[in-house]
Amino acid sequence: VYISWEQATAFCQWLTRTCADLVPKNSEFRLPTEAEWIAAARCGDERVYPWGSDWPPRYGNYSDASARKILSRWKGVDDYNDGFAVSCPVTESGGNEWGIYGMAGNVWEWCEEWYDSSRKHRVRHGASWDFDTQPSLRVDARGMDQPAARYDTIGFRVVVAPKKK
């Protein structure tokens, strides 16, 4: 958390330089594309949410009963309690059927793309611990922030992929 898109990208570049011998030749570490993030969250099907298509969440880290206990104005997801008022260790936020943790809330994750043609904001996916509405928890819900933004609700994940030409 508190990592800007710029810092996350710089980390991926450093990781590529430092650990090139640990990945296939002509590969690099980078942020996921929006399509890659959505595919990983959907586990190969057309689910609405990272955990499936039913409501409330089966796992994840969202605004809930735990948040309401310490944040008096918080609404939270009805009938849901993940046990964390704010962010948590990624392994505590639930793993999907592909064994990928943290796709359901906890913190938004930066993606490679620009949000729109103005090139002022970068895409982020996954919602975070302070979100509680059904539309915002969908796999395809897009968030955005300026590349320099750093908040306790934004983090990142790294993928290994063929180098861009």
Side-chain angles (χ1 to χ4, degrees), residues 1-53:
V1 296
Y2 291 109
I3 300 293
S4 70
W5 182 92
E6 295 160 341
Q7 291 171 315
T9 301
F11 176 78
C12 290
Q13 292 166 353
W14 172 83
L15 202 56
T16 296
R17 288 190 308 274
T18 306
C19 300
D21 58 331
L22 300 176
V23 297
K25 188 175 176 151
N26 296 318
S27 293
E28 66 181 345
F29 294 91
R30 62 170 171 75
L31 299 176
T33 65
E34 189 170 11
E36 289 168 338
W37 194 98
I38 290 171
R42 284 197 167 140
C43 294
D45 61 33
E46 290 301 314
R47 65 186 62 194
V48 176
Y49 308 104
W51 61 86
S53 294

Side-chain angles (χ1 to χ4, degrees), residues 99-117:
I100 304 172
Y101 287 87
M103 302 301 289
N106 204 25
V107 296
W108 288 95
E109 296 178 356
W110 290 114
C111 293
E112 278 285 311
E113 290 86 1
W114 289 104
Y115 185 77
D116 56 23
S117 61

